[in-house]
Amino acid sequence: MSALPATTIAPLPGQGPVEILRLLDGLDAPTLWWLSGYAAAQASHAGSAARALPTVPAREAGPQERLTIIYGSQTGNARRLAEKLAHDAENAGLAVRLLRADVYPQRELKSERLLYIVISTQGDGDPPDDARGLVEFVVGKRVPPLVDLKYAVLGLGDSSYPQFCAIGRRLDARLAELGATRVLAAGEADVDIETVATPWLEQALGAARETLKTAAPRATVTALRPHAANAEWSRERPFAAELLVNQRIVSRDGARAVHHVELSLEGSGLTYEPGDALGVWPTNAAVLVDAVLQTLQLDGETRVTHAGETHSLHAWLSTRRELTRLARPFIAAHAAHARAEDLNRLLAPDRNSDLAKLLNTHQVIDLLREFPAVWNADELVAALRPLTPRLYSIASSRRRVGDEVHLTVANVAWKAFGHTHAGTASTFLTSRDDGARVPVFIESNERFRLPDAGTDVIMIGPGTGVAPFRAFVQERHEAGARGRNWLFFGNRHFHDDFLYQTEWQDALRKGALHRLDLAFSRDQESKVYVQDRLREHGSELHAWLENGARLYVCGDATQMARDVHEALVDVFVTHGGLDRESAQAHLSELIQQGRYARDVY
Amino acid sequence: MTTTPSHLEEIKAASRFLRGGIAAGLADPITGAISDDDNKLLKFHGSYQQDDRDLREERRQQKLEPAYSFMIRARLPGGVVTPSQWLAFDAIAREHANGTLRITTRQTFQWHGVIKGRLKPTIAAINASLADTLAACGDVNRTVVSSANPLQSSAHQIAYEWAARLSEHLLPSTRAYHEIWLDGEKVAGDEGESEPLYGATYLPRKFKIGLAVPPTNDIDVFAQDLGLIAIIENGELKGFNVAVGGGMGASHGDPTTWPRLGDVIGFVAPERLLALATGVLTVQRDFGNRSQRLYARLKYTIEHRGLDWFTRELEQRLGFALEPARPFAFANNGDRYGWIEGEDGRWHLTLHIAAGRVADTPGQPWLTGLREIACVLRAAASHVQFRLTCNQNLIIAGVAADDRAAIDALVAQHALDAYRAQSGIRRHALACVALPTCGLAMAEAERYLPELLPKLEAQLARHGLSDAPIGLRLSGCPNGCSRPYLGEIALVGRAPGRYDLRLGADFRGQRLNRLHRQNINEAEILATLEPLFAQYAHERSTDEDFGDFLLRAGALAPEAPRTIPATVIA
Ligand code: SRM
Ligand SMILES: Cc1cc2nc3c(=O)[nH]c(=O)nc-3n(C[C@H](O)[C@H](O)[C@H](O)COP(=O)(O)OP(=O)(O)OC[C@H]3O[C@@H](n4cnc5c(N)ncnc54)[C@H](O)[C@@H]3O)c2cc1C
Ligand SMILES: Cc1cc2nc3c(=O)[nH]c(=O)nc-3n(C[C@H](O)[C@H](O)[C@H](O)COP(=O)(O)O)c2cc1C
Ligand code: SF4
């Protein structure tokens, strides 16, 4: 059979995706044909709410001549690449189907002929939420031998994490182990994704052509491309949004500055849904750029040509290179330049944790200061990793704010090695004045969507994790949703950093928010966190969930998300009468069904 | 006359003897505030919800609610505090409040900046120190004040004892206070409970009693709803002259409101004092205006119905006639600083606490200093006590001659002896709290005093008036918490930086001052006073007070006309 691609299905509420798949099962080509056109029409009428419509082959192609592309994506990068690949393959006349990992019917794996997987690595070497099930299946025992399968894997990752592209690597190795044939070496895209991805996609397309000796190209229904509305602007072609408001929203005593930022999308045609993130292309702080130039005694005016682009060194360092996020390759290069043996030793496989620590605590400038070395402008630009955009959960609903987009930005700043350190994008955003222009793009997140109006939602968002829930509550209120909204929020101090306090109070009064539970960790002797509140209100929480409530978690990935997950396990053990294993399993189920969604960073 | 009861009357009636929703409000974690209605009730328990007005706008922009906190006022009849109580209060200030103790113009303590979560433990701690806060605010009889600094200490003892008895006698009897703050066991609904004296709606408005011992009028006996003038003849208390209908509060530009001095209507013997107080209070309870709070004080009840009516109504209830008032004379309403020996050979040290704020500030570690003094005193004999004065000052009373040196040392060491070198006007300056905590403040008062004084002192010095005792009173609004209408010079706030300048009260608390210039700024204030100081320096007769001089010199405007609104004339 052929399943409609994930992108169509994702926005459908609740069990939607799975149900539709079941319905479609065994439908004949003409029916599917008609369906896709019908859906396309529906989508275009739905206007801004339109979701990407798939490309559906004119004639239902069997597995033998079909390319299947599966993606697992947390923040949309893998999805974007997979969509591009599908698009190109389709234009090349290949029969393609594109599926998000969690809607891929696993039993079809054995009958696949050509399979491409584009997948990122999350957490500490974990799969993206939407791919947990597939990865479990593939690495698990129940997976059949795949001797007839040809495949290729493109992994996405961030080399500043010790488990670089771990998931991509794992799948690639495992498929080989199962007897499948690798048509192309696994790609490992770092945060400068395109550097690796673009050539890989080309080769992948070539290999597909080879493998599927295609007959004459077929006509295909050209459906809406993903984000038709946003087509004009993209990650590579960001829109210069005007900054309308940049307002500190923690008290003067608040330890960590958090700002509410409002940007205008007027005239851009950009649209977003609650749950989406905004991509921001930052500029490195001038002081930092100067510090680097000074330390290396380089002239900012020096013209540097790299990868066919020519700019002044200053321009390269300001808007085109990472100065605050270190990566393995640069450490290696700098170790060589500085002839720093001990630095070099950190790169040894057995020193992963030490390396991770260095990557997490040092900026380029720290390395340059600690291990003096001579660099010339060209080498430097070549060695530094390209600047990457930062994502910020969108904190507003268009139904409420129209052409605006709101963010909740915590300014990352700390002291180390006798110098003040600051995060690039958060500082860039929180230090702009009204009227400034900020290059942005929409990063949609199909995995973090509100359910239908009748369903209850439970939102767990401590710190800046509360951002998307401001959007949720605005949206549900404007839409007159009947479902109840329960928010768990936490921070350090009630007095100082109760983010959006007056808005929540207002929402409670208006009945836009039905319940708000708070955890201020440092207001009493013993620390209290959201997970403690979850346990406290476990029986109600359990009742809500049994009643079909959706669960959302947003915010810190390193600690919070894990602790919250643990608390949820406890809730099901204590109030659901499950043992830990079944509780774990139940939660994984909820995750796969999209009833427990996380947006953690 | 309008008869529909004011909203507050309904709140009181529905409050189940002052419970309302206070307990629930305290437990609400979403806000640092409690509901408006409960705020009205909270006052009866001795606390006010406030917010830091310096931060209001900033926090609004930060999408944070105002920086709510609570002011707590102790009920300390006669302003007497034992050394151990002082230490307890000091600890409370540092642990639960903003690190300061505020001596009020009614000789008690206020703590500011107590956040909601700390309210209960704080009030519990105050009770644990054998004081309380019940009826320190609200439509009830407030803390009864009494002369803190009479010439003879025996007289003080008499006045103090009567102040305490009156205060106890007129306390509300609701158990809500113990229930909410002291985990006293709950009273189901309001059954089994009653307010024999007050009734379910208490008084129409606040009610204040003060007890003065001539020749000292340090409490401003004529500013009280019920003023009692102790008549003491060679150490023996004969009884009290009774003055009724005093009050300061007024509203800007509203000729139907005004400050008023009490009228002396007679004399009662000591054994009849409690009955008299109850009588005055219940007449006001039954006839006070419950539809317009603006006119709900006893002074208006008397103005609107007539003094004779009042006296008749009172005597009917008492079942006896008041005796004719006895002669008395007040010398002044200020405090005398430094050591004074009582006739019992014990010593009393009066210290000047600017605007009553006991705090540790650079160069003035007063809170610390007084804590150390309290430690010494606690060790010393039991009859040593602290007394707060209605002029916002502090007396260390009942010290044995031998202990003086130790105290002097600590006083000097902590810069508490500033008064020695102070100008006459500084020694006799009062200022209400006003900004940032007072919700009604229109202008600065306590925080403005230290800015204004040096400028006035410079002027006075030029005219050789540095030592002239001149009574200066600052209030941030016309409510008159520093009793500004009894100041020889008074500033009453109208807007930030702008005040009404009032002049010409006497120094005995027996003549109100008059509005001299309206709504002027500091430059105009100084410019207006300059020639008057000059004239006073040249033309005053010996010992003539500034206020009296201005009156004699014809420098004062005629008194403001009063009108009584038709609506309230019975
Ligand atoms: C602390 C104190 C002033 C000081 O600097 O010491 C004070 C402070 C306040 N007074 Fe007062 N009054 C204080 C003595 C007075 C006096 C002087 C006196 O009683 O000798 C008066 C004038 C006499 C009188 O009552 O007429 C006074 C007349 C008022 C009024 C006007 C009442 C009226 O009938 O017009 C208000 C406003 C009200 O009650 O509506 C008021 C209200 C207030 C409030 C509670 C403001 C409010 O209602 O929200 C102030 C709290 C400010 C703060 O942040 O602490 N306060 N207030 C005094 C505490 C006395 C005590 O310990 O009980
Ligand atoms: C999907 C998603 C949604 C997000 N939503 C939000 C949001 O709503 N609000 C928000 O504020 N952020 C959000 N983020 C995080 C945001 O994208 C940025 O990562 C964050 O703002 C930091 O970026 P930066 O450029 O300011 O810091 P960078 O220049 O990227 O520097 C960050 C690096 O500095 C180092 N570092 C940081 N703090 C310290 C420290 N104390 N000591 C030592 N080293 C340190 C760490 O290595 C860290 O990786 C989100 C991220 C994702 C992926
Ligand atoms: C919370 C978090 C954890 C991550 N952990 C890893 C990791 O362990 N290893 C890795 O290679 N990349 C890691 N990454 C980087 C992502 O894989 C990278 O940003 C990738 O581009 C995301 O692709 P996606 O948008 O398709 O999910 C992490 C990113 C985030 C936000
Ligand atoms: S006089 Fe006015 S400003 Fe001053 S404390 Fe009283 S109410 Fe507040």
Side-chain angles (χ1 to χ4, degrees), chain A residues 72-79 120-126 128 156-159 161 163-166 191 193 557 600-601:
Chain A
S73 182
Q74 196 75 33
T75 52
N77 294 333
R79 192 199 70 231
S120 70
T121 300
Q122 294 295 319
D124 181 14
D126 307 326
L156 277 71
D158 178 338
S159 58
Y161 287 88
Q163 303 267 0
F164 178 53
C165 285
V191 286
I193 300 167
V600 293
Y601 45 89

Side-chain angles (χ1 to χ4, degrees), chain B residues 50 53 73 102 110 206 431-435 437-446 474-485 492-493:
Chain B
Q50 308 182 314
R53 293 176 61 184
R73 186 183 290 168
R102 180 58 161 67
Q110 278 185 187
K206 60 178 67 167
C432 73
V433 177
L435 294 165
T437 53
C438 177
L440 305 177
M442 302 174 177
E444 297 280 355
E446 179 182 331
L474 265 58
S475 275
C477 86
N479 285 327
C481 297
S482 60
R483 296 181 296 269
Y485 308 101
V492 177

Side-chain angles (χ1 to χ4, degrees), chain B residues 41-111:
Chain B
L41 298 172
L42 185 66
K43 300 179 184 184
F44 292 76
H45 298 255
S47 180
Y48 274 78
Q49 178 178 307
Q50 308 182 314
D51 75 284
D52 186 333
R53 293 176 61 184
D54 291 348
L55 299 179
R56 236 183 233 179
E57 176 54 16
E58 175 179 317
R59 287 181 64 92
R60 189 191 60 73
Q61 289 176 358
Q62 291 165 339
K63 301 180 187 285
L64 295 166
E65 72 178 9
Y68 290 115
S69 69
F70 293 79
M71 174 271 276
I72 301 176
R73 186 183 290 168
R75 182 179 65 95
L76 298 176
V80 170
V81 176
T82 67
S84 8
Q85 279 177 321
W86 184 285
L87 292 171
F89 294 168
D90 165 87
I92 289 167
R94 287 177 290 121
E95 286 160 27
H96 298 301
N98 68 353
T100 75
L101 282 168
R102 180 58 161 67
I103 302 173
T104 74
T105 56
R106 289 189 72 78
Q107 66 182 172
T108 186
F109 277 126
Q110 278 185 187
W111 293 266

Side-chain angles (χ1 to χ4, degrees), chain A residues 281-353:
Chain A
W281 284 97
T283 301
N284 280 313
V287 282
L288 183 57
V289 174
D290 296 344
V292 169
L293 290 170
Q294 246 177 17
T295 316
L296 295 177
Q297 304 191 343
L298 292 170
D299 174 5
E301 294 317 304
T302 320
R303 310 295 294 171
V304 176
T305 304
H306 177 82
E309 278 185 68
T310 306
H311 310 281
S312 73
L313 177 58
H314 192 280
W316 276 107
L317 296 184
S318 298
T319 56
R320 290 170 181 77
R321 285 296 179 266
E322 288 286 353
L323 294 182
T324 53
R325 288 180 173 181
L326 273 176
R328 225 165 198 290
F330 181 79
I331 294 181
H334 189 65
H337 275 73
R339 298 200 180 62
E341 251 321 299
D342 34 358
L343 188 56
N344 209 5
R345 271 189 230 98
L346 277 180
L347 301 167
D350 60 328
R351 298 287 302 282
N352 255 348
S353 59

Side-chain angles (χ1 to χ4, degrees), chain A residues 74-77 235 277-280 325 388-394 407 425 441-443 599 601:
Chain A
Q74 196 75 33
T75 52
N77 294 333
R235 185 176 189 271
L278 189 77
V280 172
R325 288 180 173 181
T388 49
R390 314 293 198 246
L391 295 182
Y392 293 89
S393 310
I394 289 175
L407 307 177
F441 58 95
I442 302 294
E443 193 63 69
D599 191 11
Y601 45 89

